[in-house]
Each structure stands twice: as C-alpha cells, then as structure tokens.
Amino acid sequence: MTVARSAARAVGALLIAGFLAVLGAVPAQAAGYRYWSFWEHTGSGWAYATQGPSVLRPDDGDTVGFRFAVSEDSAHAAQPRDKGDFSAICAATPAKDGSKRVAVVLDFGTPEHAPGGRRPPERRTACAQVGEDASAGDALAAVAKPLRYNSSALLCAIAGYPTSGCGEQVGAQESGQRPSAGASGAEKSGESDDGDDGGPSAGLLVGVAAVVVLGAAAVWQARRRRG
C-alpha cells in the first residue's frame, strides 16, 4: 500500500470522526410537550380522543379522561391512571330526564412532569350531570372549574392547574423522560420559547474544518515525499 493511499485513508477516518463528534454534540431533541391530553373510555380501556372536548358529545353513561403529562405525541401519551368505571364514578348520581351523566377522570400527573417542580393535585373523579347536547368540555366545566384556555382555544389548565404555561415544549432533562418516546382540545402548541435551532455551534464547525485542513496537509506531505 502506498504512502499516499495510507494517508488518504487516515484523512477519511479523521473526517468521519470529526463529523460524528459534531453530531454527538448537537443538543438532544426535546422530550415533548407538557399538556393536558384528552381520552375516551371504550369499556375495555382508554383511547386517545380524536376530537377535542369542545366538539365531542358523549352519551349518558360515557367516561372521559384528562391527563397532564409530558408526551411527544398521541402514540406515547400517558393515559389516565384510573379504571374509568362509570358505574362506580356516577353511582351516587341518579339519572334525570332532560340530562345525561358523564363520568370525568382527572389525572394531574406526576411530580416529574409538573412545571417548576410543583406538586400536582391528587387525581380524582367526578360525575357531571349536564344537558343532553352538552360536550365533554361542558361536562368538564361542570365539575373542574376554573378552566384556562389560550388564544387558540387550547385547554391549558383544569381546576386551576397548572397556574401558568400552555402546551410548552420541554427538554429531556427537565421532563424526566428519555427523548425516545406528547393536546387537550384537538391540538397542541408547537411553539417553543427557545430560539436555538439545535444545530452545531460555530466552534464545532471550526473544529471539523481544522480536521479537514490537517488531513489535506498529510496527503500533501506524503505526495511531496514521494516526489
């Protein structure tokens, strides 16, 4: 094997190592979004709602659930930690003409997902007795005021929790989640207050450029020796 070819391979190895260093140093992607997710009980378990609470109109005997957590998307969202048994939740609420009963499960989440290190309220259930045409949002308002919405009609707080924030993006370190695995209403906010686009820093790019220059110099020196 010639000296020039050996030098070329060495340069290739240096370039690969340099680019891997840049990729490894790029900040990890955000773990997800901190928000209230909305769920329907199917009788056998929880299903992520495909309509927002202001649109969905449950029937008498249905159960809806809300869970506050950090999640990337609906496929990995944390479910309410309650069985959602309508007969148990609404046992003390008799049926009444002109109204319907909707069981509401409120899961305020865990301390690791709470904003600012706060302690979330204990999870609870309630039986909402509302008009026959009432939405899930109406049922929620009947048992869990105060509610807070943002300008896009995204549900931000239930029973006053949390006191601030709305669907904000959170990093893996803050959320307590690994970033591998995140909106009540029909949507979640994709806005982030962080202006960093997650790209490599200028210093890292300069470092890679230095690797390229050194590698090119090695090839030139090898060819010069041959000449």
Side-chain angles (χ1 to χ4, degrees):
M1 181 180 296
T2 66
V3 175
R5 186 175 297 176
S6 298
R9 290 193 175 183
V11 171
L14 285 171
L15 289 174
I16 292 172
F19 281 115
L20 287 177
V22 171
L23 292 176
V26 172
Q29 295 298 313
Y33 297 85
R34 182 184 285 120
Y35 68 98
W36 279 101
S37 57
F38 176 45
W39 301 79
E40 296 178 83
H41 202 277
T42 64
S44 58
W46 292 105
Y48 198 94
T50 58
Q51 295 178 301
S54 63
V55 177
L56 181 70
R57 280 170 167 69
D59 295 324
D60 181 78
D62 284 350
T63 300
V64 296
F66 297 84
R67 171 71 189 266
F68 190 77
V70 174
S71 305
E72 275 196 5
D73 50 44
S74 59
H76 301 95
Q79 299 181 3
R81 295 167 295 168
D82 187 275
K83 294 180 179 179
D85 184 355
F86 173 85
S87 59
I89 297 172
C90 288
T93 306
K96 186 168 61 175
D97 289 342
S99 68
K100 62 183 177 185
R101 296 166 299 163
V102 179
V104 180
V105 173
L106 303 175
D107 190 332
F108 297 86
T110 61
E112 65 180 345
H113 289 176
R118 301 168 190 164
R119 185 172 184 81
E122 293 295 326
R123 62 182 188 265
R124 59 186 173 90
T125 62
C127 186
Q129 194 156 42
V130 290
E132 293 178 331
D133 194 43
S135 66
D138 295 329
L140 177 65
V143 298
K145 288 181 178 179
L147 306 180
R148 177 167 58 85
Y149 292 84
N150 69 3
S151 58
S152 301
L154 175 67
L155 179 59
C156 305
I158 295 176
Y161 181 82
T163 56
S164 62
C166 193
E168 65 270 19
Q169 195 174 28
V170 233
Q173 183 176 2
E174 182 183 353
S175 71
Q177 283 189 334
R178 295 183 64 86
S180 59
S184 200
E187 63 283 312
K188 70 174 177 232
S189 171
E191 297 293 327
S192 171
D193 293 332
D194 187 359
D196 188 3
D197 62 1
S201 67
L204 287 170
L205 293 176
V206 170
V208 173
V211 171
V212 174
V213 171
L214 289 173
V219 172
W220 181 79
Q221 287 287 352
R223 288 179 176 174
R224 185 182 178 195
R225 290 193 190 98
R226 290 187 63 200

